[in-house]
PDB file of all heavy atoms in Angstrom:
ATOM      1  N   ALA A   1       7.926  14.721 -10.696  1.00 95.00           N
ATOM      2  CA  ALA A   1       7.287  14.468  -9.395  1.00 95.00           C
ATOM      3  C   ALA A   1       7.062  15.776  -8.640  1.00 95.00           C
ATOM      4  O   ALA A   1       7.914  16.671  -8.626  1.00 95.00           O
ATOM      5  CB  ALA A   1       8.143  13.525  -8.563  1.00 95.00           C
ATOM      6  N   ASP A   2       5.890  15.891  -7.999  1.00 95.00           N
ATOM      7  CA  ASP A   2       5.563  17.073  -7.209  1.00 95.00           C
ATOM      8  C   ASP A   2       5.971  16.828  -5.756  1.00 95.00           C
ATOM      9  O   ASP A   2       5.524  15.859  -5.138  1.00 95.00           O
ATOM     10  CB  ASP A   2       4.064  17.356  -7.289  1.00 95.00           C
ATOM     11  CG  ASP A   2       3.671  18.558  -6.457  1.00 95.00           C
ATOM     12  OD1 ASP A   2       4.026  19.685  -6.832  1.00 95.00           O
ATOM     13  OD2 ASP A   2       3.018  18.353  -5.407  1.00 95.00           O
ATOM     14  N   ALA A   3       6.813  17.690  -5.219  1.00 97.00           N
ATOM     15  CA  ALA A   3       7.369  17.485  -3.877  1.00 97.00           C
ATOM     16  C   ALA A   3       6.289  17.418  -2.805  1.00 97.00           C
ATOM     17  O   ALA A   3       6.348  16.585  -1.894  1.00 97.00           O
ATOM     18  CB  ALA A   3       8.362  18.604  -3.549  1.00 97.00           C
ATOM     19  N   VAL A   4       5.292  18.292  -2.892  1.00 97.00           N
ATOM     20  CA  VAL A   4       4.228  18.317  -1.882  1.00 97.00           C
ATOM     21  C   VAL A   4       3.401  17.034  -1.935  1.00 97.00           C
ATOM     22  O   VAL A   4       3.076  16.442  -0.896  1.00 97.00           O
ATOM     23  CB  VAL A   4       3.336  19.563  -2.075  1.00 97.00           C
ATOM     24  CG1 VAL A   4       2.077  19.458  -1.209  1.00 97.00           C
ATOM     25  CG2 VAL A   4       4.114  20.826  -1.720  1.00 97.00           C
ATOM     26  N   THR A   5       3.064  16.580  -3.142  1.00 95.00           N
ATOM     27  CA  THR A   5       2.281  15.352  -3.277  1.00 95.00           C
ATOM     28  C   THR A   5       3.044  14.153  -2.733  1.00 95.00           C
ATOM     29  O   THR A   5       2.479  13.308  -2.025  1.00 95.00           O
ATOM     30  CB  THR A   5       1.903  15.109  -4.750  1.00 95.00           C
ATOM     31  OG1 THR A   5       1.155  16.233  -5.224  1.00 95.00           O
ATOM     32  CG2 THR A   5       1.077  13.848  -4.901  1.00 95.00           C
ATOM     33  N   VAL A   6       4.333  14.067  -3.046  1.00 96.00           N
ATOM     34  CA  VAL A   6       5.144  12.965  -2.531  1.00 96.00           C
ATOM     35  C   VAL A   6       5.191  12.993  -1.010  1.00 96.00           C
ATOM     36  O   VAL A   6       5.032  11.966  -0.348  1.00 96.00           O
ATOM     37  CB  VAL A   6       6.572  13.018  -3.130  1.00 96.00           C
ATOM     38  CG1 VAL A   6       7.489  12.014  -2.432  1.00 96.00           C
ATOM     39  CG2 VAL A   6       6.534  12.746  -4.624  1.00 96.00           C
ATOM     40  N   ALA A   7       5.404  14.170  -0.438  1.00 97.00           N
ATOM     41  CA  ALA A   7       5.454  14.288   1.023  1.00 97.00           C
ATOM     42  C   ALA A   7       4.123  13.921   1.661  1.00 97.00           C
ATOM     43  O   ALA A   7       4.071  13.296   2.724  1.00 97.00           O
ATOM     44  CB  ALA A   7       5.852  15.707   1.413  1.00 97.00           C
ATOM     45  N   ALA A   8       3.026  14.293   1.017  1.00 96.00           N
ATOM     46  CA  ALA A   8       1.698  14.005   1.563  1.00 96.00           C
ATOM     47  C   ALA A   8       1.354  12.525   1.487  1.00 96.00           C
ATOM     48  O   ALA A   8       0.718  11.964   2.390  1.00 96.00           O
ATOM     49  CB  ALA A   8       0.640  14.820   0.821  1.00 96.00           C
ATOM     50  N   LEU A   9       1.776  11.866   0.404  1.00 96.00           N
ATOM     51  CA  LEU A   9       1.368  10.485   0.156  1.00 96.00           C
ATOM     52  C   LEU A   9       2.292   9.439   0.762  1.00 96.00           C
ATOM     53  O   LEU A   9       1.890   8.285   0.946  1.00 96.00           O
ATOM     54  CB  LEU A   9       1.284  10.241  -1.352  1.00 96.00           C
ATOM     55  CG  LEU A   9       0.091  10.836  -2.084  1.00 96.00           C
ATOM     56  CD1 LEU A   9       0.252  10.658  -3.585  1.00 96.00           C
ATOM     57  CD2 LEU A   9      -1.190  10.171  -1.632  1.00 96.00           C
ATOM     58  N   ALA A  10       3.515   9.809   1.061  1.00 95.00           N
ATOM     59  CA  ALA A  10       4.523   8.809   1.430  1.00 95.00           C
ATOM     60  C   ALA A  10       4.093   7.924   2.579  1.00 95.00           C
ATOM     61  O   ALA A  10       4.103   6.688   2.461  1.00 95.00           O
ATOM     62  CB  ALA A  10       5.839   9.513   1.764  1.00 95.00           C
ATOM     63  N   ASN A  11       3.733   8.498   3.711  1.00 92.00           N
ATOM     64  CA  ASN A  11       3.399   7.674   4.874  1.00 92.00           C
ATOM     65  C   ASN A  11       2.130   6.857   4.695  1.00 92.00           C
ATOM     66  O   ASN A  11       2.138   5.633   4.933  1.00 92.00           O
ATOM     67  CB  ASN A  11       3.322   8.537   6.128  1.00 92.00           C
ATOM     68  CG  ASN A  11       2.964   7.734   7.357  1.00 92.00           C
ATOM     69  OD1 ASN A  11       1.812   7.736   7.807  1.00 92.00           O
ATOM     70  ND2 ASN A  11       3.927   7.023   7.904  1.00 92.00           N
ATOM     71  N   PRO A  12       1.011   7.451   4.288  1.00 93.00           N
ATOM     72  CA  PRO A  12      -0.200   6.625   4.142  1.00 93.00           C
ATOM     73  C   PRO A  12      -0.086   5.568   3.063  1.00 93.00           C
ATOM     74  O   PRO A  12      -0.700   4.497   3.168  1.00 93.00           O
ATOM     75  CB  PRO A  12      -1.293   7.649   3.805  1.00 93.00           C
ATOM     76  CG  PRO A  12      -0.579   8.847   3.306  1.00 93.00           C
ATOM     77  CD  PRO A  12       0.724   8.882   4.032  1.00 93.00           C
ATOM     78  N   THR A  13       0.702   5.831   2.020  1.00 96.00           N
ATOM     79  CA  THR A  13       0.842   4.850   0.944  1.00 96.00           C
ATOM     80  C   THR A  13       1.810   3.739   1.327  1.00 96.00           C
ATOM     81  O   THR A  13       1.632   2.579   0.947  1.00 96.00           O
ATOM     82  CB  THR A  13       1.311   5.537  -0.348  1.00 96.00           C
ATOM     83  OG1 THR A  13       0.430   6.627  -0.648  1.00 96.00           O
ATOM     84  CG2 THR A  13       1.301   4.573  -1.518  1.00 96.00           C
ATOM     85  N   ALA A  14       2.826   4.079   2.096  1.00 95.00           N
ATOM     86  CA  ALA A  14       3.821   3.083   2.496  1.00 95.00           C
ATOM     87  C   ALA A  14       3.198   1.941   3.289  1.00 95.00           C
ATOM     88  O   ALA A  14       3.645   0.790   3.185  1.00 95.00           O
ATOM     89  CB  ALA A  14       4.926   3.744   3.313  1.00 95.00           C
ATOM     90  N   SER A  15       2.162   2.235   4.074  1.00 94.00           N
ATOM     91  CA  SER A  15       1.588   1.189   4.926  1.00 94.00           C
ATOM     92  C   SER A  15       1.037   0.029   4.108  1.00 94.00           C
ATOM     93  O   SER A  15       1.300  -1.147   4.402  1.00 94.00           O
ATOM     94  CB  SER A  15       0.491   1.770   5.831  1.00 94.00           C
ATOM     95  OG  SER A  15      -0.614   2.234   5.068  1.00 94.00           O
ATOM     96  N   SER A  16       0.291   0.321   3.057  1.00 97.00           N
ATOM     97  CA  SER A  16      -0.260  -0.755   2.230  1.00 97.00           C
ATOM     98  C   SER A  16       0.788  -1.323   1.281  1.00 97.00           C
ATOM     99  O   SER A  16       0.785  -2.530   0.980  1.00 97.00           O
ATOM    100  CB  SER A  16      -1.477  -0.266   1.447  1.00 97.00           C
ATOM    101  OG  SER A  16      -1.182   0.902   0.709  1.00 97.00           O
ATOM    102  N   TRP A  17       1.690  -0.484   0.797  1.00 97.00           N
ATOM    103  CA  TRP A  17       2.748  -0.966  -0.090  1.00 97.00           C
ATOM    104  C   TRP A  17       3.586  -2.032   0.612  1.00 97.00           C
ATOM    105  O   TRP A  17       3.836  -3.117   0.083  1.00 97.00           O
ATOM    106  CB  TRP A  17       3.625   0.195  -0.539  1.00 97.00           C
ATOM    107  CG  TRP A  17       4.749  -0.196  -1.462  1.00 97.00           C
ATOM    108  CD1 TRP A  17       6.006  -0.600  -1.102  1.00 97.00           C
ATOM    109  CD2 TRP A  17       4.709  -0.242  -2.897  1.00 97.00           C
ATOM    110  NE1 TRP A  17       6.755  -0.885  -2.211  1.00 97.00           N
ATOM    111  CE2 TRP A  17       5.987  -0.677  -3.334  1.00 97.00           C
ATOM    112  CE3 TRP A  17       3.733   0.056  -3.853  1.00 97.00           C
ATOM    113  CZ2 TRP A  17       6.305  -0.825  -4.678  1.00 97.00           C
ATOM    114  CZ3 TRP A  17       4.054  -0.098  -5.195  1.00 97.00           C
ATOM    115  CH2 TRP A  17       5.317  -0.538  -5.588  1.00 97.00           C
ATOM    116  N   LEU A  18       4.017  -1.742   1.838  1.00 97.00           N
ATOM    117  CA  LEU A  18       4.840  -2.694   2.580  1.00 97.00           C
ATOM    118  C   LEU A  18       4.039  -3.938   2.964  1.00 97.00           C
ATOM    119  O   LEU A  18       4.555  -5.058   2.927  1.00 97.00           O
ATOM    120  CB  LEU A  18       5.423  -2.029   3.826  1.00 97.00           C
ATOM    121  CG  LEU A  18       6.459  -0.940   3.559  1.00 97.00           C
ATOM    122  CD1 LEU A  18       6.824  -0.223   4.849  1.00 97.00           C
ATOM    123  CD2 LEU A  18       7.713  -1.516   2.906  1.00 97.00           C
ATOM    124  N   ALA A  19       2.772  -3.735   3.337  1.00 97.00           N
ATOM    125  CA  ALA A  19       1.934  -4.879   3.714  1.00 97.00           C
ATOM    126  C   ALA A  19       1.752  -5.841   2.549  1.00 97.00           C
ATOM    127  O   ALA A  19       1.849  -7.069   2.719  1.00 97.00           O
ATOM    128  CB  ALA A  19       0.577  -4.389   4.219  1.00 97.00           C
ATOM    129  N   LEU A  20       1.493  -5.302   1.373  1.00 98.00           N
ATOM    130  CA  LEU A  20       1.217  -6.155   0.212  1.00 98.00           C
ATOM    131  C   LEU A  20       2.489  -6.656  -0.468  1.00 98.00           C
ATOM    132  O   LEU A  20       2.479  -7.725  -1.090  1.00 98.00           O
ATOM    133  CB  LEU A  20       0.347  -5.405  -0.793  1.00 98.00           C
ATOM    134  CG  LEU A  20      -1.073  -5.093  -0.304  1.00 98.00           C
ATOM    135  CD1 LEU A  20      -1.808  -4.225  -1.307  1.00 98.00           C
ATOM    136  CD2 LEU A  20      -1.859  -6.376  -0.038  1.00 98.00           C
ATOM    137  N   ARG A  21       3.570  -5.912  -0.333  1.00 97.00           N
ATOM    138  CA  ARG A  21       4.823  -6.324  -0.954  1.00 97.00           C
ATOM    139  C   ARG A  21       5.643  -7.232  -0.045  1.00 97.00           C
ATOM    140  O   ARG A  21       6.311  -8.153  -0.532  1.00 97.00           O
ATOM    141  CB  ARG A  21       5.647  -5.087  -1.304  1.00 97.00           C
ATOM    142  CG  ARG A  21       5.138  -4.297  -2.497  1.00 97.00           C
ATOM    143  CD  ARG A  21       5.649  -4.850  -3.793  1.00 97.00           C
ATOM    144  NE  ARG A  21       7.113  -4.788  -3.872  1.00 97.00           N
ATOM    145  CZ  ARG A  21       7.826  -5.373  -4.819  1.00 97.00           C
ATOM    146  NH1 ARG A  21       7.233  -6.084  -5.758  1.00 97.00           N
ATOM    147  NH2 ARG A  21       9.156  -5.258  -4.839  1.00 97.00           N
ATOM    148  N   ARG A  22       5.603  -6.982   1.273  1.00 96.00           N
ATOM    149  CA  ARG A  22       6.504  -7.679   2.176  1.00 96.00           C
ATOM    150  C   ARG A  22       5.819  -8.630   3.154  1.00 96.00           C
ATOM    151  O   ARG A  22       6.467  -9.532   3.681  1.00 96.00           O
ATOM    152  CB  ARG A  22       7.326  -6.643   2.968  1.00 96.00           C
ATOM    153  CG  ARG A  22       8.371  -5.949   2.117  1.00 96.00           C
ATOM    154  CD  ARG A  22       9.453  -6.917   1.703  1.00 96.00           C
ATOM    155  NE  ARG A  22      10.364  -6.343   0.720  1.00 96.00           N
ATOM    156  CZ  ARG A  22      11.433  -6.983   0.255  1.00 96.00           C
ATOM    157  NH1 ARG A  22      11.699  -8.209   0.683  1.00 96.00           N
ATOM    158  NH2 ARG A  22      12.207  -6.414  -0.651  1.00 96.00           N
ATOM    159  N   ARG A  23       4.551  -8.461   3.393  1.00 97.00           N
ATOM    160  CA  ARG A  23       3.868  -9.319   4.361  1.00 97.00           C
ATOM    161  C   ARG A  23       2.915 -10.304   3.695  1.00 97.00           C
ATOM    162  O   ARG A  23       2.844 -11.466   4.095  1.00 97.00           O
ATOM    163  CB  ARG A  23       3.105  -8.463   5.384  1.00 97.00           C
ATOM    164  CG  ARG A  23       3.991  -7.527   6.185  1.00 97.00           C
ATOM    165  CD  ARG A  23       5.034  -8.275   6.995  1.00 97.00           C
ATOM    166  NE  ARG A  23       4.435  -8.992   8.109  1.00 97.00           N
ATOM    167  CZ  ARG A  23       4.916 -10.128   8.641  1.00 97.00           C
ATOM    168  NH1 ARG A  23       5.983 -10.695   8.105  1.00 97.00           N
ATOM    169  NH2 ARG A  23       4.317 -10.694   9.651  1.00 97.00           N
ATOM    170  N   ALA A  24       2.181  -9.874   2.697  1.00 97.00           N
ATOM    171  CA  ALA A  24       1.260 -10.780   2.010  1.00 97.00           C
ATOM    172  C   ALA A  24       2.050 -11.867   1.280  1.00 97.00           C
ATOM    173  O   ALA A  24       2.900 -11.566   0.443  1.00 97.00           O
ATOM    174  CB  ALA A  24       0.395 -10.003   1.020  1.00 97.00           C
ATOM    175  N   ILE A  25       1.789 -13.101   1.626  1.00 97.00           N
ATOM    176  CA  ILE A  25       2.516 -14.216   1.029  1.00 97.00           C
ATOM    177  C   ILE A  25       2.029 -14.419  -0.403  1.00 97.00           C
ATOM    178  O   ILE A  25       0.846 -14.659  -0.640  1.00 97.00           O
ATOM    179  CB  ILE A  25       2.309 -15.493   1.855  1.00 97.00           C
ATOM    180  CG1 ILE A  25       2.842 -15.282   3.277  1.00 97.00           C
ATOM    181  CG2 ILE A  25       3.008 -16.695   1.201  1.00 97.00           C
ATOM    182  CD1 ILE A  25       2.483 -16.382   4.247  1.00 97.00           C
ATOM    183  N   GLY A  26       2.948 -14.279  -1.346  1.00 96.00           N
ATOM    184  CA  GLY A  26       2.569 -14.414  -2.752  1.00 96.00           C
ATOM    185  C   GLY A  26       2.021 -13.148  -3.365  1.00 96.00           C
ATOM    186  O   GLY A  26       1.593 -13.162  -4.525  1.00 96.00           O
ATOM    187  N   GLY A  27       2.037 -12.034  -2.613  1.00 95.00           N
ATOM    188  CA  GLY A  27       1.546 -10.769  -3.145  1.00 95.00           C
ATOM    189  C   GLY A  27       0.042 -10.770  -3.378  1.00 95.00           C
ATOM    190  O   GLY A  27      -0.686 -11.631  -2.881  1.00 95.00           O
ATOM    191  N   CYS A  28      -0.438  -9.801  -4.139  1.00 96.00           N
ATOM    192  CA  CYS A  28      -1.888  -9.694  -4.349  1.00 96.00           C
ATOM    193  C   CYS A  28      -2.287  -9.802  -5.818  1.00 96.00           C
ATOM    194  O   CYS A  28      -3.442  -9.559  -6.163  1.00 96.00           O
ATOM    195  CB  CYS A  28      -2.433  -8.401  -3.744  1.00 96.00           C
ATOM    196  SG  CYS A  28      -1.850  -6.881  -4.530  1.00 96.00           S
ATOM    197  N   GLN A  29      -1.355 -10.169  -6.680  1.00 97.00           N
ATOM    198  CA  GLN A  29      -1.651 -10.324  -8.093  1.00 97.00           C
ATOM    199  C   GLN A  29      -2.803 -11.314  -8.308  1.00 97.00           C
ATOM    200  O   GLN A  29      -2.754 -12.455  -7.861  1.00 97.00           O
ATOM    201  CB  GLN A  29      -0.417 -10.823  -8.844  1.00 97.00           C
ATOM    202  CG  GLN A  29      -0.610 -11.028 -10.339  1.00 97.00           C
ATOM    203  CD  GLN A  29      -0.655  -9.715 -11.098  1.00 97.00           C
ATOM    204  OE1 GLN A  29       0.084  -8.783 -10.778  1.00 97.00           O
ATOM    205  NE2 GLN A  29      -1.508  -9.625 -12.095  1.00 97.00           N
ATOM    206  N   GLY A  30      -3.865 -10.847  -8.959  1.00 97.00           N
ATOM    207  CA  GLY A  30      -5.001 -11.704  -9.265  1.00 97.00           C
ATOM    208  C   GLY A  30      -5.881 -12.051  -8.081  1.00 97.00           C
ATOM    209  O   GLY A  30      -6.784 -12.887  -8.202  1.00 97.00           O
ATOM    210  N   ARG A  31      -5.662 -11.391  -6.947  1.00 98.00           N
ATOM    211  CA  ARG A  31      -6.414 -11.717  -5.735  1.00 98.00           C
ATOM    212  C   ARG A  31      -7.417 -10.624  -5.374  1.00 98.00           C
ATOM    213  O   ARG A  31      -7.351  -9.507  -5.884  1.00 98.00           O
ATOM    214  CB  ARG A  31      -5.447 -11.933  -4.565  1.00 98.00           C
ATOM    215  CG  ARG A  31      -4.607 -13.203  -4.699  1.00 98.00           C
ATOM    216  CD  ARG A  31      -3.548 -13.271  -3.634  1.00 98.00           C
ATOM    217  NE  ARG A  31      -3.101 -14.639  -3.409  1.00 98.00           N
ATOM    218  CZ  ARG A  31      -2.105 -14.980  -2.604  1.00 98.00           C
ATOM    219  NH1 ARG A  31      -1.433 -14.044  -1.953  1.00 98.00           N
ATOM    220  NH2 ARG A  31      -1.768 -16.245  -2.446  1.00 98.00           N
ATOM    221  N   THR A  32      -8.324 -10.986  -4.448  1.00 98.00           N
ATOM    222  CA  THR A  32      -9.274 -10.019  -3.914  1.00 98.00           C
ATOM    223  C   THR A  32      -8.735  -9.478  -2.602  1.00 98.00           C
ATOM    224  O   THR A  32      -8.443 -10.240  -1.674  1.00 98.00           O
ATOM    225  CB  THR A  32     -10.648 -10.661  -3.677  1.00 98.00           C
ATOM    226  OG1 THR A  32     -11.211 -11.043  -4.940  1.00 98.00           O
ATOM    227  CG2 THR A  32     -11.595  -9.670  -2.999  1.00 98.00           C
ATOM    228  N   VAL A  33      -8.613  -8.163  -2.537  1.00 98.00           N
ATOM    229  CA  VAL A  33      -8.116  -7.486  -1.343  1.00 98.00           C
ATOM    230  C   VAL A  33      -9.262  -6.697  -0.712  1.00 98.00           C
ATOM    231  O   VAL A  33      -9.909  -5.887  -1.387  1.00 98.00           O
ATOM    232  CB  VAL A  33      -6.948  -6.537  -1.681  1.00 98.00           C
ATOM    233  CG1 VAL A  33      -6.494  -5.778  -0.434  1.00 98.00           C
ATOM    234  CG2 VAL A  33      -5.791  -7.312  -2.298  1.00 98.00           C
ATOM    235  N   ALA A  34      -9.520  -6.945   0.564  1.00 98.00           N
ATOM    236  CA  ALA A  34     -10.534  -6.194   1.310  1.00 98.00           C
ATOM    237  C   ALA A  34      -9.831  -5.196   2.217  1.00 98.00           C
ATOM    238  O   ALA A  34      -8.906  -5.569   2.953  1.00 98.00           O
ATOM    239  CB  ALA A  34     -11.402  -7.137   2.131  1.00 98.00           C
ATOM    240  N   ILE A  35     -10.246  -3.936   2.159  1.00 98.00           N
ATOM    241  CA  ILE A  35      -9.619  -2.872   2.938  1.00 98.00           C
ATOM    242  C   ILE A  35     -10.607  -2.406   4.004  1.00 98.00           C
ATOM    243  O   ILE A  35     -11.628  -1.780   3.691  1.00 98.00           O
ATOM    244  CB  ILE A  35      -9.199  -1.703   2.040  1.00 98.00           C
ATOM    245  CG1 ILE A  35      -8.219  -2.203   0.971  1.00 98.00           C
ATOM    246  CG2 ILE A  35      -8.569  -0.584   2.870  1.00 98.00           C
ATOM    247  CD1 ILE A  35      -7.938  -1.187  -0.117  1.00 98.00           C
ATOM    248  N   LEU A  36     -10.312  -2.732   5.244  1.00 98.00           N
ATOM    249  CA  LEU A  36     -11.159  -2.345   6.365  1.00 98.00           C
ATOM    250  C   LEU A  36     -10.701  -0.978   6.858  1.00 98.00           C
ATOM    251  O   LEU A  36      -9.581  -0.821   7.356  1.00 98.00           O
ATOM    252  CB  LEU A  36     -11.051  -3.392   7.483  1.00 98.00           C
ATOM    253  CG  LEU A  36     -11.955  -3.245   8.691  1.00 98.00           C
ATOM    254  CD1 LEU A  36     -13.417  -3.151   8.294  1.00 98.00           C
ATOM    255  CD2 LEU A  36     -11.736  -4.415   9.654  1.00 98.00           C
ATOM    256  N   GLY A  37     -11.549   0.023   6.677  1.00 97.00           N
ATOM    257  CA  GLY A  37     -11.161   1.406   6.942  1.00 97.00           C
ATOM    258  C   GLY A  37     -10.775   2.097   5.649  1.00 97.00           C
ATOM    259  O   GLY A  37      -9.837   2.899   5.607  1.00 97.00           O
ATOM    260  N   ALA A  38     -11.525   1.811   4.591  1.00 97.00           N
ATOM    261  CA  ALA A  38     -11.169   2.298   3.255  1.00 97.00           C
ATOM    262  C   ALA A  38     -11.350   3.795   3.082  1.00 97.00           C
ATOM    263  O   ALA A  38     -10.859   4.361   2.098  1.00 97.00           O
ATOM    264  CB  ALA A  38     -11.995   1.563   2.199  1.00 97.00           C
ATOM    265  N   THR A  39     -12.053   4.461   3.999  1.00 96.00           N
ATOM    266  CA  THR A  39     -12.244   5.902   3.863  1.00 96.00           C
ATOM    267  C   THR A  39     -11.167   6.710   4.585  1.00 96.00           C
ATOM    268  O   THR A  39     -11.136   7.933   4.478  1.00 96.00           O
ATOM    269  CB  THR A  39     -13.629   6.326   4.386  1.00 96.00           C
ATOM    270  OG1 THR A  39     -13.750   5.925   5.755  1.00 96.00           O
ATOM    271  CG2 THR A  39     -14.737   5.681   3.567  1.00 96.00           C
ATOM    272  N   SER A  40     -10.285   6.046   5.328  1.00 94.00           N
ATOM    273  CA  SER A  40      -9.165   6.741   5.958  1.00 94.00           C
ATOM    274  C   SER A  40      -8.155   7.133   4.885  1.00 94.00           C
ATOM    275  O   SER A  40      -8.197   6.641   3.753  1.00 94.00           O
ATOM    276  CB  SER A  40      -8.496   5.835   6.994  1.00 94.00           C
ATOM    277  OG  SER A  40      -7.901   4.715   6.352  1.00 94.00           O
TER     278      SER A  40
END
């Protein structure tokens, strides 16, 4: 693992990871996910 890459990605990646793992009921396996603000 590259320390700089991990530090750079942790916060922006955590937002969707937690949303899809902990908030989305039933997860997103086999589903269509729409990302509003996909260029951020």
Side-chain angles (χ1 to χ4, degrees):
D2 179 70
V4 169
T5 301
V6 171
L9 285 173
N11 179 259
T13 307
S15 65
S16 53
W17 180 272
L18 292 172
L20 293 174
R21 286 275 298 170
R22 288 292 171 177
R23 300 299 289 150
I25 299 170
C28 66
Q29 180 75 38
R31 291 172 158 175
T32 294
V33 177
I35 301 170
L36 186 54
T39 58
S40 65

